[in-house]
Amino acid sequence: LLFAKTRKEVIELVTNQLGIGDRIQGIVTFSMLSNWYKKCLDNNFSEKLGENLLGDLRSEFSAEFPSFKTIDSFLKERGYDQVIFSGIWKI
């Protein structure tokens, strides 16, 4: 019964039927992602984990937007270079 399956099983079933199941590396829920970000930004872990998180984001950015040589040019093109971040958001 389809309604008895977990969301993960349904996603795996659909992606396999579409022939893209081998492209799925894992399933991350919003709550998992939220908890990871909270931990990375927490004062106890921010310095150690935050730098790794930023490094991963830079790497993923380069893969997603190969036409931009750096994230700085991407931010500048969209006007985000004018935004002043503070607190935990300061880079």
Side-chain angles (χ1 to χ4, degrees), residues 7-68:
R7 289 180 182 169
K8 179 182 177 194
E9 290 170 326
V10 171
I11 291 169
E12 289 172 345
L13 179 68
V14 170
T15 56
N16 286 333
Q17 288 176 350
L18 293 173
I20 59 171
D22 59 331
R23 294 175 42 193
I24 305 298
Q25 296 179 3
I27 296 173
V28 178
T29 65
F30 178 79
S31 62
M32 291 167 64
L33 187 61
S34 178
N35 287 335
W36 291 337
Y37 274 92
K38 284 178 188 173
K39 186 171 276 194
C40 286
L41 297 172
D42 180 85
N43 285 336
N44 296 322
F45 302 102
S46 62
E47 196 160 320
K48 183 174 183 170
L49 296 176
E51 191 59 40
N52 291 335
L53 175 63
L54 288 174
D56 289 344
L57 287 172
R58 286 184 192 104
S59 174
E60 291 299 320
F61 174 86
S62 296
E64 187 71 25
F65 303 101
S67 62
F68 289 96

Side-chain angles (χ1 to χ4, degrees), residues 64-80:
E64 187 71 25
F65 303 101
S67 62
F68 289 96
K69 298 209 184 300
T70 67
I71 195 168
D72 295 330
S73 60
F74 176 83
L75 296 174
K76 186 174 183 176
E77 180 179 291
R78 288 176 165 71
Y80 298 137

